[in-house]
Every structure is written in structure tokens, then in C-alpha cells.
Amino acid sequence: MTLTLTAAPAVPAAREKAPPRAWAHRWPLLPLIATVLLVAVPADGTGAGTVFGVPAADLLSGAAVLVCAGLLLGRRRRPLTPAAAVVLGLPVVGLALATVTAADPMAALPGFVRYLQIFVLVPAAVLLLVRDAQGFRAVAGALVLLGLIEGATGVHQYVTGSGASYMGEDIRAVGTFGPGDVMGMATVVGYGLIAAVAYALRARSGTSRRPRLWAGVTAVLLVVPLTLSFSRGAWIATAAGALAVIALTGLRQAVRALAVLGAAGVVLVGGFGVGSEMISQRLTSITEVTSAPDRSVNDRYTMWAAAAGMWREQPATGVGLKGFPAHRDGHASIGLSAGSDTAGAGQEFRKQPLLSPHNMYLLVLSEQGLVGFVALVGSWAAFLVGGVRRLVSCRARGAAAVDCGLAAVGLMTWQTVDFLYADIGGPSTVLTGIVLGLAAWWALAGPERADAA
């Protein structure tokens, strides 16, 4: 009789050490997530929400860049693919040229630092710190959470009449940003809505229906504060971003999603009367921007013409970063008003000066000229085109990270459309860098990272 001893299968060491490795893998995302959430505590004139005079969110974005630099020095390997290095590096050339050719380079230097932060350093940090699809979802989830926080604050302002002044009533939802930055809440709510729609429409295979259902409910709920922001530009940008996401999910899901969104709009605006009269007037005004523009639209047209005039005088390099306010009066017509009226949300009436054309493309063209315009706008085009190409490829292969691609393309679409009516400025500006970084990660990261679920 032979006694045979069979050893019990050993537990793999890798499985035992998974939690520590997972934590070591995820902790670099913390500065990015903190940057997103701290936008809800924007700086104001009293110094609240700042650390040593720097907004807390901007400070955390700098910490994310430092963490990224430290990790790169420790690993000692090439951080970016050649394509990513070119796309992220080209804007630096235009920014540097616009700074050194400005009439006052020292006055242009703060603009150089700000542009470098938003359009180069923060996107590069996001691209390098987000290691896989789960990391992407964590940062995008922070955008959704921020949108819910700001949206709930905005709805409360509308219901209680404690918002910014709009048509003589303090009902405009502005969240924690105040009447001086009426686009702030609309921006973060738009980001959150697009990210929620992308997750709700992700591929069905291998996916629990409950998280997708809650993502869809979240997207519908965020329609309310977005509507109450009375921001025409944010409405148009969000519609464009959502339609891009829906169109890229396939015909069947697109029809279903459009039906749900249409029904939600009818119920919220028509059934419950959520600001229906004022909203209808605001919607109608979108089609009247050429036939019967209001004062804000007239001011915008005047500043657009001024920006175009600056570019015609300095077509190659522009008037220099931060140069638009100094050259505005020399190129604007007498029809430009002294400023926009702001009040409500805890602030007394004041005139807010018009220091930018409220069009990012014209701002870049006027201050950086054709060189800077091609470099900066070209990088955005690369994010969008590269993202769509990778998304189509991943859908064809049935990759599990399709929701990341939908979110990246939707957010990038939102940003490029919104730049037609707005430019950088205000506490929410740092989120532009986060969004560009997510789009860069999807479009430019190596396939071994972007395809990892």
C-alpha cells in the first residue's frame, strides 16, 4: 500500500499582497481628486478658499504636478510617447513667443504661467498619474460628485431666492461661485452630466446594471441645475457633448437615450414648471442673437470685433499674453458698455469689467497670434480626433474601457464648443486642465494603459 501525499495549493503571493500594491498604485490620484473637489470652495475677495493667496484647487493641482515629477524621477524612464510629447509641448512654443514679444514681457509672465499650468502641466500630470481605466473613472467620478454638490446648491438658491440676480430676481443658480462667475456652476454641472451619461451608456457586457441605472438618474437630475443656471453657452455645450456621447454608442442606445432625455426635459420643465417661462425666453434668445441681440450679446460681438482687430495688427504673435484688456479700448466701438451688472448670492450690486472677449479662440488669436493659435488649438484637435479614433477601435474590439472613451470624447466636445462662448478665468478654470488631461490620456496614452480595464 502506497501512501500518496498531495500538497494543498499554495495561495499566490501576489494575491496576498494585492491590497498594498493597489494602494501604492492609486495614491497618486489623490491630488487630482482633491483638486476637483476643492473647486467647490472657490476663492473670493475675503481670502476664503485660498492658501497663501493661492486658490486651494490650484495649489493641489501644483501638488499633483510635483507628485508626477517625483514619480518620474524615481522610475527614471521616458514618461511620454513621442506623439504625446509633441502635442503637449507645442503650446509651450506659442506661449513663450507671445510672452517675449509682448510690449511688456513682465506683465505677460503671469499669463504664461497660468496658460502653462492649465494647458500643459496639469494635462500632462493627469496623463501620467492615471494608470488605467479605474483611475480614469475615479477622476471622472470626482467631477460627477462636484457637479452634484454644486447643482444641489444651485437648486437651493433658485428655490429660496438666494441666487444671483436674473431679470430682477435673485434666482439664478450659481452654486458656490457667486455672481461674479455665473459660468462656474454651469461648467462643473455640465462636466458631471457628460461623465454620468458616458457611464450610463457604457457597454452592457460584463457590467452591472445598477451602477449604470444610477448614473442615468444622476445625469437626469443634473439637468435641473444646468437649466436653472440660465447659461445659454453651457446649454449648447452640454447638448453637443451629450449628443456626441450618444451618437458614439450605437443607433439602438442612441434612440433610447434621446427618448429618456426628451421625456425628462418635458417632465422637469413642462410638468413641474421649473422656471418654464424664463427658460423659454432664454431659449428663444438663442435664435435672436443676430436679429435682436440683448446687451450682453452686443457686448460680446463688440469684444469679438476688438479681438479680431488686435490679431490683424499683430497676425503672427498677437499683442501678448494678458494684453487684451490694455488694447481693448483702442479696438472696441463706443457701443461697448462699461461692464456687466452682478448682484445677489450674498453680494451687493457691482459692475464687473469686461476684460476678455468671452471666446477662447479669439482670445488666443488676439494675444498669441497665428503661431500660438495653431499650436494650442491644434493640441485640442489632436485630443478630440485621437480620442474618437481610439473609441471606434475599442468598440470594434469590445474593450471594457469604452465608457472612459465616451467620457473623454464627450468632455472634450463640451470644452471645444464652450470655448466659442467663454474663455478661461475664475475658480473653475483648473478643471479645464483636468478635462484636457483625461482627453489626452484616452487619446495619447500607450495602448497597454488606455486599453486596461
Side-chain angles (χ1 to χ4, degrees):
M1 180 176 180
T2 303
L3 181 63
T4 303
L5 298 178
T6 304
V11 178
R15 183 174 299 177
E16 294 175 356
K17 298 180 181 179
R21 280 214 312 268
W23 169 247
H25 187 61
R26 303 295 180 195
W27 74 263
L29 294 175
L30 293 180
L32 296 178
I33 296 174
T35 297
V36 173
L37 296 181
L38 284 177
V39 171
V41 191
D44 58 20
T46 64
T50 65
V51 180
F52 302 113
V54 180
D58 287 294
L59 197 65
L60 263 294
S61 73
V65 173
L66 292 177
V67 168
C68 180
L71 292 176
L72 293 180
L73 291 175
R75 293 170 181 169
R76 295 182 179 180
R77 64 184 184 185
R78 187 174 64 182
L80 298 173
T81 63
V86 170
V87 172
L88 287 172
L90 270 180
V92 181
V93 177
L95 294 174
L97 187 61
T99 302
V100 298
T101 58
D104 187 355
M106 291 305 298
L109 190 58
F112 173 81
V113 174
R114 185 62 163 167
Y115 273 79
L116 194 67
Q117 173 203 7
I118 300 302
F119 297 113
V120 179
L121 296 180
V122 173
V126 176
L127 171 60
L128 294 170
L129 293 178
V130 174
R131 302 300 302 171
D132 53 26
Q134 294 298 339
F136 184 105
R137 292 174 188 132
V139 179
L143 289 174
V144 176
L145 178 58
L146 176 64
L148 288 171
I149 294 171
E150 290 292 341
T153 305
V155 172
H156 178 266
Q157 290 171 335
Y158 176 83
V159 172
T160 60
S162 58
S165 177
Y166 179 76
M167 297 182 68
E169 300 182 54
D170 293 342
I171 58 171
R172 187 169 191 175
V174 292
T176 62
F177 296 97
D181 184 18
V182 294
M183 282 290 294
M185 190 213 72
T187 296
V188 300
V189 169
Y191 287 156
L193 194 153
I194 296 300
V197 169
Y199 191 84
L201 297 180
R202 65 186 298 192
R204 291 179 178 274
S205 58
T207 306
S208 175
R209 294 186 61 183
R210 182 172 295 179
R212 294 176 60 247
L213 176 61
W214 280 112
V217 171
T218 300
V220 172
L221 290 176
L222 287 175
V223 173
V224 178
L226 180 67
T227 303
L228 298 179
S229 70
F230 297 103
S231 174
R232 293 169 294 196
W235 293 349
I236 296 172
T238 305
L243 288 175
V245 171
I246 292 171
L248 290 168
T249 58
L251 180 61
R252 181 178 299 177
Q253 286 211 76
V255 172
R256 186 184 298 114
L258 288 173
V260 171
L261 288 178
V266 170
V267 171
L268 292 174
V269 178
F272 296 134
V274 181
S276 54
E277 182 178 353
M278 291 185 176
I279 291 170
S280 62
Q281 292 176 358
R282 195 67 166 168
L283 284 170
T284 304
S285 69
I286 294 177
T287 62
E288 297 174 348
V289 293
T290 55
S291 59
D294 55 31
R295 194 188 71 176
S296 65
V297 175
N298 273 323
D299 286 342
R300 188 161 300 184
Y301 287 162
T302 303
M303 291 188 293
W304 288 2
M310 296 177 200
W311 172 67
R312 283 191 292 268
E313 284 190 2
Q314 301 286 340
T317 59
V319 298
L321 295 175
K322 295 288 185 179
F324 182 88
H327 293 79
R328 183 199 63 182
D329 293 340
H331 295 82
S333 68
I334 59 174
L336 182 64
S337 63
S340 58
D341 300 337
T342 61
Q347 177 181 297
E348 298 295 330
F349 174 83
R350 67 178 64 172
K351 282 279 187 180
Q352 186 170 349
L354 304 174
L355 302 178
S356 69
H358 294 290
N359 182 304
M360 192 64 199
Y361 302 105
L362 288 175
L363 179 63
V364 173
L365 196 61
S366 63
E367 293 188 342
Q368 302 180 42
L370 197 57
V371 175
F373 181 87
V374 171
L376 194 57
V377 178
S379 70
W380 305 339
F383 297 157
L384 187 57
V385 174
V388 172
R389 290 184 60 187
R390 173 159 281 172
L391 178 58
V392 172
S393 173
C394 287
R395 286 191 68 243
R397 292 185 286 108
V402 169
D403 59 302
C404 298
L406 291 173
V409 173
L411 289 170
M412 197 64 211
T413 302
W414 190 100
Q415 196 65 70
T416 53
V417 173
D418 181 71
F419 275 164
L420 293 170
Y421 313 97
D423 47 47
I424 60 173
S428 62
T429 297
V430 68
L431 294 182
T432 302
I434 298 291
V435 166
L436 294 177
L438 293 176
W441 179 85
W442 177 256
L444 302 175
E448 72 283 354
R449 289 174 53 193
D451 293 345

